[in-house]
PDB file of all heavy atoms in Angstrom:
ATOM      1  N   ARG A 276      59.774  13.356   1.043  1.00 85.00           N
ATOM      2  CA  ARG A 276      59.363  13.903  -0.252  1.00 85.00           C
ATOM      3  C   ARG A 276      60.576  14.121  -1.145  1.00 85.00           C
ATOM      4  O   ARG A 276      61.640  14.556  -0.702  1.00 85.00           O
ATOM      5  CB  ARG A 276      58.626  15.224  -0.069  1.00 85.00           C
ATOM      6  CG  ARG A 276      57.322  15.127   0.682  1.00 85.00           C
ATOM      7  CD  ARG A 276      56.592  16.441   0.620  1.00 85.00           C
ATOM      8  NE  ARG A 276      56.138  16.739  -0.732  1.00 85.00           N
ATOM      9  CZ  ARG A 276      55.632  17.915  -1.110  1.00 85.00           C
ATOM     10  NH1 ARG A 276      55.562  18.897  -0.232  1.00 85.00           N
ATOM     11  NH2 ARG A 276      55.233  18.110  -2.345  1.00 85.00           N
ATOM     12  N   ILE A 277      60.408  13.798  -2.411  1.00 89.00           N
ATOM     13  CA  ILE A 277      61.424  14.064  -3.423  1.00 89.00           C
ATOM     14  C   ILE A 277      61.039  15.351  -4.136  1.00 89.00           C
ATOM     15  O   ILE A 277      59.951  15.447  -4.718  1.00 89.00           O
ATOM     16  CB  ILE A 277      61.535  12.895  -4.419  1.00 89.00           C
ATOM     17  CG1 ILE A 277      61.782  11.576  -3.684  1.00 89.00           C
ATOM     18  CG2 ILE A 277      62.640  13.162  -5.429  1.00 89.00           C
ATOM     19  CD1 ILE A 277      63.069  11.531  -2.921  1.00 89.00           C
ATOM     20  N   GLN A 278      61.919  16.343  -4.105  1.00 89.00           N
ATOM     21  CA  GLN A 278      61.648  17.641  -4.700  1.00 89.00           C
ATOM     22  C   GLN A 278      62.727  17.954  -5.731  1.00 89.00           C
ATOM     23  O   GLN A 278      63.922  17.912  -5.421  1.00 89.00           O
ATOM     24  CB  GLN A 278      61.607  18.738  -3.624  1.00 89.00           C
ATOM     25  CG  GLN A 278      60.528  18.523  -2.582  1.00 89.00           C
ATOM     26  CD  GLN A 278      60.552  19.568  -1.486  1.00 89.00           C
ATOM     27  OE1 GLN A 278      61.478  20.374  -1.409  1.00 89.00           O
ATOM     28  NE2 GLN A 278      59.552  19.563  -0.628  1.00 89.00           N
ATOM     29  N   TRP A 279      62.284  18.260  -6.948  1.00 91.00           N
ATOM     30  CA  TRP A 279      63.183  18.598  -8.051  1.00 91.00           C
ATOM     31  C   TRP A 279      63.003  20.072  -8.409  1.00 91.00           C
ATOM     32  O   TRP A 279      61.870  20.559  -8.503  1.00 91.00           O
ATOM     33  CB  TRP A 279      62.864  17.737  -9.274  1.00 91.00           C
ATOM     34  CG  TRP A 279      63.480  16.371  -9.239  1.00 91.00           C
ATOM     35  CD1 TRP A 279      63.209  15.382  -8.349  1.00 91.00           C
ATOM     36  CD2 TRP A 279      64.456  15.860 -10.135  1.00 91.00           C
ATOM     37  NE1 TRP A 279      63.959  14.269  -8.630  1.00 91.00           N
ATOM     38  CE2 TRP A 279      64.743  14.535  -9.731  1.00 91.00           C
ATOM     39  CE3 TRP A 279      65.121  16.364 -11.236  1.00 91.00           C
ATOM     40  CZ2 TRP A 279      65.655  13.730 -10.393  1.00 91.00           C
ATOM     41  CZ3 TRP A 279      66.032  15.568 -11.910  1.00 91.00           C
ATOM     42  CH2 TRP A 279      66.300  14.264 -11.472  1.00 91.00           C
ATOM     43  N   THR A 280      64.147  20.732  -8.628  1.00 91.00           N
ATOM     44  CA  THR A 280      64.160  22.088  -9.163  1.00 91.00           C
ATOM     45  C   THR A 280      64.984  22.050 -10.447  1.00 91.00           C
ATOM     46  O   THR A 280      66.205  21.834 -10.417  1.00 91.00           O
ATOM     47  CB  THR A 280      64.771  23.083  -8.166  1.00 91.00           C
ATOM     48  OG1 THR A 280      64.024  23.032  -6.942  1.00 91.00           O
ATOM     49  CG2 THR A 280      64.726  24.486  -8.729  1.00 91.00           C
ATOM     50  N   ILE A 281      64.311  22.225 -11.572  1.00 91.00           N
ATOM     51  CA  ILE A 281      64.927  22.064 -12.896  1.00 91.00           C
ATOM     52  C   ILE A 281      65.046  23.430 -13.547  1.00 91.00           C
ATOM     53  O   ILE A 281      64.070  24.194 -13.615  1.00 91.00           O
ATOM     54  CB  ILE A 281      64.077  21.128 -13.781  1.00 91.00           C
ATOM     55  CG1 ILE A 281      63.860  19.787 -13.077  1.00 91.00           C
ATOM     56  CG2 ILE A 281      64.725  20.916 -15.131  1.00 91.00           C
ATOM     57  CD1 ILE A 281      62.875  18.886 -13.781  1.00 91.00           C
ATOM     58  N   SER A 282      66.234  23.733 -14.006  1.00 90.00           N
ATOM     59  CA  SER A 282      66.474  24.983 -14.725  1.00 90.00           C
ATOM     60  C   SER A 282      67.528  24.723 -15.789  1.00 90.00           C
ATOM     61  O   SER A 282      68.158  23.660 -15.831  1.00 90.00           O
ATOM     62  CB  SER A 282      66.925  26.095 -13.773  1.00 90.00           C
ATOM     63  OG  SER A 282      68.176  25.763 -13.178  1.00 90.00           O
ATOM     64  N   ALA A 283      67.725  25.707 -16.650  1.00 88.00           N
ATOM     65  CA  ALA A 283      68.746  25.566 -17.690  1.00 88.00           C
ATOM     66  C   ALA A 283      70.150  25.578 -17.116  1.00 88.00           C
ATOM     67  O   ALA A 283      71.094  25.099 -17.759  1.00 88.00           O
ATOM     68  CB  ALA A 283      68.593  26.686 -18.723  1.00 88.00           C
ATOM     69  N   ALA A 284      70.331  26.100 -15.912  1.00 88.00           N
ATOM     70  CA  ALA A 284      71.659  26.154 -15.301  1.00 88.00           C
ATOM     71  C   ALA A 284      72.046  24.855 -14.619  1.00 88.00           C
ATOM     72  O   ALA A 284      73.236  24.607 -14.404  1.00 88.00           O
ATOM     73  CB  ALA A 284      71.730  27.304 -14.299  1.00 88.00           C
ATOM     74  N   GLY A 285      71.085  24.029 -14.245  1.00 89.00           N
ATOM     75  CA  GLY A 285      71.410  22.785 -13.570  1.00 89.00           C
ATOM     76  C   GLY A 285      70.205  22.207 -12.866  1.00 89.00           C
ATOM     77  O   GLY A 285      69.057  22.638 -13.066  1.00 89.00           O
ATOM     78  N   LEU A 286      70.473  21.236 -12.008  1.00 92.00           N
ATOM     79  CA  LEU A 286      69.429  20.512 -11.294  1.00 92.00           C
ATOM     80  C   LEU A 286      69.716  20.570  -9.798  1.00 92.00           C
ATOM     81  O   LEU A 286      70.877  20.558  -9.376  1.00 92.00           O
ATOM     82  CB  LEU A 286      69.369  19.044 -11.737  1.00 92.00           C
ATOM     83  CG  LEU A 286      69.208  18.760 -13.230  1.00 92.00           C
ATOM     84  CD1 LEU A 286      69.320  17.267 -13.485  1.00 92.00           C
ATOM     85  CD2 LEU A 286      67.879  19.291 -13.728  1.00 92.00           C
ATOM     86  N   GLN A 287      68.659  20.608  -9.036  1.00 91.00           N
ATOM     87  CA  GLN A 287      68.756  20.491  -7.586  1.00 91.00           C
ATOM     88  C   GLN A 287      67.685  19.519  -7.123  1.00 91.00           C
ATOM     89  O   GLN A 287      66.496  19.717  -7.361  1.00 91.00           O
ATOM     90  CB  GLN A 287      68.571  21.848  -6.895  1.00 91.00           C
ATOM     91  CG  GLN A 287      68.601  21.754  -5.376  1.00 91.00           C
ATOM     92  CD  GLN A 287      68.495  23.104  -4.707  1.00 91.00           C
ATOM     93  OE1 GLN A 287      68.968  24.105  -5.235  1.00 91.00           O
ATOM     94  NE2 GLN A 287      67.874  23.154  -3.548  1.00 91.00           N
TER      95      GLN A 287
END
Side-chain angles (χ1 to χ4, degrees):
R276 296 188 68 190
I277 306 297
Q278 299 177 351
W279 278 64
T280 302
I281 305 172
S282 64
L286 305 174
Q287 177 177 328

